[in-house]
Amino acid sequence: MIGPNFRTEGHWSTAAALTGKPVRVRVSPSTLSAAQLAAIEGVGLRLRSELARLIRALPSDSRSVRTMASLLDVDRNTCQRVISATQPDVSGCEAFVRLPGLKPLRQIVAHAQKRGVGADCIESLTVALDRLDSVLEEFNESHVRLKARIEASLSAGAPALNRGELDIRRSLFEEHSRLLQRQIRIHSLITAVGPHADDPTKLEQAWVRALLGLRMGKGAAPLPLGIATTDREHHPTAPAPTFDPLSRRAAPGARNAGIVPALSSTPLPTLTTRGPAGSQVSVIDPATTDPEREIDVTVATRASHVAHPGNEMYHTSAVMLTPTARMIFDVYLHRSLAMSSVPACGVFQYTMSFSSDMDENWPFRLPGQYRLELLGSGLQNAGSDAWDRHADAAAHLFSQTGWSPEDYIGHRLQVEFPMWGSTICQWFDFRTATPQCV
């Protein structure tokens, strides 16, 4: 029983017990709502991106904990926490927890400015730190207490997505479906990326894309299954990336080139494929579909002579061109690539200004916390409860390419009711020496 002298001091309560002696009672930090976590996620992602940009602006021999501390005249613990928070697989909330306080972060900015870091980098990071200061004022919390509340929320399994937000996205799915006169129940995209057999500066990429439960009205525009590009610039004098269907081999532009009959509805819809060098688009003609019947369409494609990212980032993405109820996006990365990169994922507003450096795309990042699931090597975890043929689609990809699935590490991202026009991305950062544990 706690007497009337109860009072709170930080995380601790002091009370007069029946014995008359003070009793210290630990008060657990209160958890945050999903909306509050979403706000912190955005701030954390921006800080992570801006600090990563600052680190890359330092001399290449001053980016370790010891050398960075020496160059910027700050303690090593501060540098360790900053470097830890800027890893590409860290969420915004996790970055918020890992980062040091506002004062040491401002010291880093001031000292970096004295060391000649560019004004644009300094200004952007200063604005991000001002936003952090505002958030602490909005929550009326110290950095330490707010981090404790974030940790408590994450430990309690706080929802990654506000149910109200999910309901809004479901409503948008229904409205956009009526507007466009088409919708997809499940969009499955399985991609594999591996080294080129003859050219170490190139990669090869293959994918199987399935639109399941597709319904199109007679007034719908032709449906692009997705624009396939290499997502990287290539040198003008280098060979352009080439695209070839994995199934039903035919000349580009031929009817139904690349379609997988075993994973598609019968009769097959009319599918045409076209595109300039370095890109490809497959289109379904709504005139050949029945608006009263759902159909399944699966295509498989292979791209050769894709530029290797070197010591940069490699990303692969899917633009949501049709309202979709559920997206399953698997990327199988060759073990040699997976062991020298760090994976991450996110959902972004579609824009023509999208950068190959994913840290630069934070202004376009959409709300929601998304996690990559590591599937491991091989296809033993390739199945999905969303589609009973998902593992068959992955097996088709590897059988048609002749690649051994045991040499590839799978990653999965799932999104419910992705926003129409959004870009769903997975990327692999080769700028860090920290490998995956596989």
Side-chain angles (χ1 to χ4, degrees):
M1 179 178 180
I2 298 178
N5 294 331
F6 177 88
R7 60 191 177 93
T8 301
E9 297 177 352
H11 287 286
W12 295 93
S13 297
T14 304
L18 292 177
T19 59
K21 298 180 179 180
V23 176
R24 292 164 64 82
V25 180
R26 179 72 175 183
V27 178
S28 299
S30 58
T31 58
L32 299 165
S33 68
Q36 289 174 318
L37 282 176
I40 292 170
E41 178 73 12
V43 174
L45 286 174
R46 182 172 185 178
L47 282 168
R48 189 195 73 182
S49 297
E50 297 293 359
L51 285 166
R53 184 182 178 198
L54 181 142
I55 291 173
R56 292 196 301 275
L58 300 177
S60 58
D61 59 354
S62 299
R63 298 174 188 172
S64 68
V65 172
R66 179 182 60 81
T67 57
M68 181 178 169
S70 176
L71 178 72
L72 300 180
D73 193 24
V74 293
D75 65 82
R76 293 188 183 184
N77 181 58
T78 295
C79 294
Q80 174 64 54
R81 295 174 69 176
V82 168
I83 291 174
S84 174
T86 55
Q87 297 305 302
D89 59 337
V90 172
S91 71
C93 288
E94 289 172 333
F96 200 105
V97 169
R98 295 186 185 190
L99 284 171
L102 192 58
K103 183 177 179 179
L105 287 174
R106 292 199 186 278
Q107 287 178 338
I108 286 179
V109 174
H111 294 171
Q113 186 174 21
K114 292 179 181 178
R115 293 295 185 180
V117 172
D120 59 335
C121 182
I122 295 298
E123 182 179 358
S124 297
L125 184 49
T126 299
V127 172
L129 292 179
D130 289 343
R131 178 56 186 147
L132 170 61
D133 195 14
S134 298
V135 167
L136 296 178
E137 289 185 4
E138 291 168 10
F139 279 85
N140 193 26
E141 299 274 21
S142 68
H143 199 168
V144 172
R145 278 192 57 80
L146 187 52
K147 288 196 292 187
R149 293 185 66 188
I150 296 171
E151 289 180 311
S153 302
L154 298 178
S155 298
L161 182 65
N162 189 329
R163 291 306 302 184
E165 181 184 330
L166 188 61
D167 291 340
I168 292 172
R169 293 198 335 216
R170 182 185 288 106
S171 177
L172 288 174
F173 162 78
E174 295 167 353
E175 294 294 335
H176 287 151
S177 297
R178 284 192 287 269
L179 176 66
L180 298 175
Q181 297 187 47
R182 67 189 192 218
Q183 68 176 48
I184 300 168
R185 182 164 40 84
I186 299 170
H187 186 158
S188 168
L189 176 59
I190 305 171
T191 298
V193 184
H196 194 284
D198 303 318
D199 188 346
T201 68
K202 302 294 182 182
L203 298 175
E204 289 194 278
Q205 184 172 351
W207 58 89
V208 174
R209 184 189 299 270
L211 308 185
L212 310 170
L214 168 64
R215 189 184 294 272
M216 300 179 68
K218 289 298 183 183
L223 168 61
L225 272 77
I227 300 171
T229 66
T230 62
D231 281 338
R232 292 189 57 80
E233 297 290 335
H234 58 275
H235 194 277
T237 61
T242 57
F243 295 86
D244 296 295
L246 285 179
S247 304
R248 297 177 64 90
R249 293 191 175 278
R255 179 174 296 185
N256 288 350
I259 202 164
V260 185
L263 299 173
S264 302
S265 300
T266 302
L268 295 175
T270 299
L271 177 70
T272 58
T273 303
R274 61 179 61 84
S279 66
Q280 181 190 74
V281 60
S282 298
V283 180
I284 299 174
D285 186 349
T288 64
T289 64
D290 182 350
E292 303 301 322
R293 186 173 75 93
E294 289 187 347
I295 62 172
D296 297 340
V297 184
T298 303
V299 296
T301 307
R302 179 173 183 166
S304 299
H305 304 293
V306 179
H308 193 289
N311 294 321
E312 301 178 20
M313 284 189 179
Y314 184 89
H315 77 275
T316 182
S317 59
V319 180
M320 296 291 97
L321 300 175
T322 298
T324 300
R326 186 172 178 181
M327 174 69 180
I328 309 169
F329 184 13
D330 293 353
V331 176
Y332 287 86
L333 199 66
H334 190 272
R335 187 178 295 273
S336 63
L337 300 171
M339 293 298 290
S340 56
S341 64
V342 175
C345 66
V347 179
F348 299 82
Q349 174 186 345
Y350 177 74
T351 172
M352 297 301 291
S353 301
F354 210 66
S355 172
S356 59
D357 182 349
M358 301 304 291
D359 287 336
E360 299 294 332
N361 294 321
W362 64 263
F364 310 112
R365 195 153 187 165
L366 295 175
Q369 298 180 50
Y370 301 95
R371 292 286 188 175
L372 278 181
E373 176 187 354
L374 187 63
L375 301 178
S377 61
L379 300 180
Q380 62 269 24
N381 296 317
S384 169
D385 58 358
W387 182 29
D388 58 2
R389 302 294 304 279
H390 194 80
D392 294 337
H396 178 83
L397 184 155
F398 283 99
S399 67
Q400 292 295 308
T401 57
W403 302 340
S404 170
E406 299 302 322
D407 293 336
Y408 287 75
I409 308 298
H411 310 76
R412 174 169 295 171
L413 171 61
Q414 300 192 69
V415 183
E416 290 185 80
F417 299 107
M419 291 182 64
W420 174 56
S422 64
T423 301
I424 299 178
C425 291
Q426 289 192 42
W427 62 92
F428 301 87
D429 194 342
F430 291 85
R431 299 174 303 182
T432 173
T434 304
Q436 298 183 60
C437 297
V438 294

